[in-house]
């Protein structure tokens, strides 16, 4: 998921959009991904190791999205 988003957003859209429009598109993508992930996570049960893996992957997502936009995305993933 991280690599797909990076390829689409950074290499595909960034050169074509203004900075404001690019930021808006990234924020909309983050909102949609967070909404879908929240719904999926709430349906599942995790053991301790699964919870640690989920936390690690969520941190990677936050880092990737933070790298491609100037606005904070950490608060969207906090829930």
């Amino acid at each position: 998921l991280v690599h797909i988003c990076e390829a689409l957003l950074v290499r595909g859209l960034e050169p074509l959009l203004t900075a404001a429009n690019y930021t808006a598109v990234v924020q909309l993508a983050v909102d949609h991904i967070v909404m879908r992930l929240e719904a999926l996570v709430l349906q599942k049960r995790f053991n301790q190791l699964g919870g640690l893996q989920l936390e690690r992957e969520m941190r990677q997502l936050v880092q990737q999205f933070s790298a491609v936009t100037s606005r904070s995305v950490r608060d969207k993933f906090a829930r």
Side-chain angles (χ1 to χ4, degrees):
L1 180 62
V2 171
H3 299 294
I4 293 170
C5 290
E6 181 180 0
L8 176 65
L9 293 173
V10 176
R11 291 184 219 130
L13 293 178
E14 188 175 22
L16 302 174
L17 299 174
T18 64
N21 287 340
Y22 176 72
T23 301
V25 168
V26 171
Q27 292 296 317
L28 287 172
V30 169
D31 288 341
H32 182 72
I33 290 170
V34 166
M35 184 176 60
R36 295 284 300 172
L37 284 174
E38 183 180 8
L40 290 171
V41 168
L42 290 176
Q43 292 176 358
K44 302 290 181 183
R45 292 181 51 144
F46 299 96
N47 62 19
Q48 192 172 15
L49 292 176
L52 289 172
Q53 180 68 30
L54 176 66
E55 181 185 3
R56 187 177 314 124
E57 291 179 5
M58 294 300 274
R59 269 191 271 124
Q60 287 178 342
L61 274 174
V62 170
Q63 288 173 350
Q64 286 294 94
F65 279 116
S66 294
V68 298
T69 185
S70 59
R71 295 179 67 188
S72 175
V73 296
R74 187 175 305 270
D75 59 328
K76 293 179 187 287
F77 282 90
R79 188 175 157 143

